[in-house]
Amino acid sequence: GKRKGTEKFVDLLEFFFKTKNLGTWVVRDMRGKPGQLSVHATGRASDNGHGNVKKLEELADGLAAHADLLGIEEIHNYSYGKFGRGWRCDRHAWKVYANEKESAGSIGGKWIHVELTPEMADDPKKVEEAFKKMFE
């Protein structure tokens, strides 16, 4: 089901960055991978929309810069370039997708997808503390 830390994370993104919550918890397969559950099914992922692609890019970069603090494991920025880009905690870097097969799907979508650690997804107080530190 929904996890309180993930929901707080989305609330704070809406408040500070004027994003729109496009969804958190839903039991479904990953796009293009039948039988493989999406991280949304764990309640640790959110889709956060914004009508301004430049603002999405800035938000994605800012979240990646503070990923350790915020407990972020992965970010997909679908509207970046031609095929989007992805950031992962195991490489601490962006990968710009070169083609549709390499992409994370939803090419051109005006939203970012963010995956949190289980610890952050479960703890709204830790999420609030992390946001406060981010703005110090």
Side-chain angles (χ1 to χ4, degrees):
K2 289 189 177 194
R3 292 165 92 159
K4 291 180 181 183
T6 303
E7 299 305 312
K8 177 56 75 176
F9 181 84
V10 170
D11 289 346
L12 293 172
L13 287 181
E14 288 179 317
F15 180 79
F16 288 112
F17 302 103
K18 308 302 181 221
T19 62
K20 179 178 168 106
N21 178 4
L22 301 178
T24 56
W25 178 72
V26 63
V27 179
R28 66 168 176 80
D29 290 345
M30 289 174 45
R31 295 184 196 281
K33 296 185 179 181
Q36 190 173 351
L37 283 178
S38 164
V39 176
H40 283 283
T42 70
R44 297 187 302 110
S46 67
D47 291 332
N48 313 279
H50 200 293
N52 184 318
V53 172
K54 184 70 174 160
K55 295 278 185 195
L56 275 178
E57 185 178 323
E58 291 169 1
L59 175 57
D61 286 337
L63 293 175
H66 294 93
D68 290 339
L69 174 66
L70 296 168
I72 294 174
E73 293 183 333
E74 191 158 340
I75 304 168
H76 300 164
N77 184 188
Y78 302 113
S79 59
Y80 186 88
K82 189 170 181 180
F83 298 105
R85 65 180 177 161
W87 182 95
R88 291 184 56 136
C89 62
D90 61 354
R91 65 176 175 253
H92 270 63
W94 286 102
K95 177 179 181 179
V96 176
Y97 302 126
N99 54 55
E100 188 172 345
K101 183 179 178 186
E102 209 177 71
S103 81
S106 302
I107 295 168
K110 291 184 179 179
W111 72 90
I112 58 172
H113 168 92
V114 181
E115 298 176 8
L116 299 176
T117 63
E119 180 182 23
M120 289 302 266
D122 287 334
D123 195 333
K125 289 187 183 208
K126 282 188 180 180
V127 171
E128 284 181 8
E129 291 169 7
F131 267 80
K132 285 179 187 175
K133 286 181 184 174
M134 186 173 67
F135 288 114
E136 287 179 347

